[in-house]
Amino acid sequence: MSAVLSALATQLSSAVTAAFGAQYGVLDPELRAATRPEFGHYQTNLALRLAQPLGQSPRAVAEQLVAALDLSGLCEPVQIAGPGFINLTLLPSVLAAGVNEPVVFAPRGERVVVDYSQPNVAKQMHVGHLRSTVIGDALCNVLRAVGYEVIRQNHVGDWGTQFGMMVEQVLFEGLVVESLDIEGLQQLYQRGRKHFDAEGNFGDLARARVVLLQSGDEETLAIWRQMVEVSLVEFDRIYAQLGSPLTRADVVGESAYNDRLQAVVDDLTVAGLLTESGGALCAFLPGFAGRDGSPLPVIVRKSDGGFGYSATDLAAVRHRVDDLHANRIVYVVDHRQALHFQQIFALCRAAGWLPATIPAEHVAFGTVLGKDGKPFKTRAGDTIRLASLLDGATARAQALLDERETLEEGARAAVAAAVGIGAIKYADLSSDRINDYVFDLDRMVAMTGNTGPYLQYAHARLSRLLSKAGETPGLVTVLEQPAEQRLALLLSGFGDTVIQVAVTLQPHRLCTYLFEVAAALSTFYETCPVLTSEGEVRASRIALCAATRRVVHDGLGLLGISAPDAM
Ligand code: ARG
């Protein structure tokens, strides 16, 4: 909480204690931003909540509370409104200090491990991976900003029985894997699949190949490694285009846990947590049941003796706790895997691998839909290549910039990339992540509404104003107009908003905040001239513009969106 808010809360609590006794002083004042400018800046409904226990009218309670309240140096004289709301209006000097004081977060001495992006080898990245990458990047930025040490884990899908089949198909065709790209690998997979279904003999070879792969046969591993490499080259290309900081060093794929899966089974067996069921080794945990009431197992070892997705994730949790010394564990994965993660976390807690002091959170997100309201696919029903989406957005932004002609032709390409990619990212981040959203490029790149380009434009306009101002911005000293007060109040809430995102892992809260700042900025422009005003007012408004530019720039930066100085 900001210093001002906590000072207000403390004073309110002392006033309650003084007026009605300490047993009521523990009540949270629940300070809220005022809903209308004429209600001041903050509002509390303490008096309404105290009326019943005190057996008095809310208005009477409010009057006694206000009489006991000392907000000198912080607020204008306090107002009681309606049935007994207490309205607080900060002094201009307090508002100004909230803007002038830089937001600083001390290191927390805590480590958070974030599992995100997680594309699959030999498959094109799709919009689901876009969501995980964009949300994961934003959360890593925010968590680092509030003082965590952040460790990224890209849990790439690079292991499993399909790779035995694909290696066998490579040998069958005599292919050189290095000559393929990711699309070529995807097609190879499809040919392998057909071959597998059509010829029993090939099926046997493929299954034997899985065993060779898992037991570390060199020839098999070499071909598998090439498939991984071709895929990682493509993922790197997409990360570069997206401006994601993910690198090879963050890749800890499913294969990395191969050697630890047996220990998972052994330790769970010793702990008495596994039951044999139809040849498979399963954990049945209390509280996990299907709709018909039948228990839902975690399958730790399959009936064919192989390990699956769950065993790998169990080993991965242990890695995060034991080797990476995580204090907090986060997984950015689509909502359909919610049950999977609930079970994994519960089993790890039951096994003692995940102490109660370490929170594990599944940051779930909804599906990207096409304009028809169905999951976003090509007309032929194939997944849409992420690469072509990003190119499309950049081209659309380029066309808009060409139309506007505000930039030199040579400067447009870089800005178009920033705007196009920023538009896609912002659209993804700006609605509550658990919701589905429609991929609508026209809406995403629009310069009006709650969009990335709208905020980028607000930033560019501020940059231009500040460069025209011809003076280095100083401090905000004069805040007389409601519009500049409102803007200042919002700006002072930046740090609190970032903390809220770090707590809830909901980036849309930061988007909503930035959109409010941009809206308050427009109102400010309409009512408060900047460059044509004079003296201290001019200097103070320039400082307010500089502070706004900083917040929009840093806020977009936390979302992984760059803010060009001109558009
Ligand atoms: N590769 C998986 C997919 O594309 C997501 C992996 C999520 N992370 C994890 N630790 N299970 O659906």
Side-chain angles (χ1 to χ4, degrees), residues 334-356:
D334 80 82
H335 70 98
R336 290 168 305 178
Q337 298 197 31
L339 177 63
H340 166 74
F341 284 107
Q342 280 168 25
Q343 290 185 308
I344 294 294
F345 299 159
L347 184 50
C348 287
R349 300 236 186 254
W353 298 339
L354 184 59

Side-chain angles (χ1 to χ4, degrees), residues 115 118-120 129 155 157 254 309 313 331 333 337 340-341:
D115 181 316
Q118 318 120 332
N120 300 310
H129 302 121
H155 193 85
E254 294 179 17
Y309 189 59
D313 263 326
Y331 290 83
V333 182
Q337 298 197 31
H340 166 74
F341 284 107

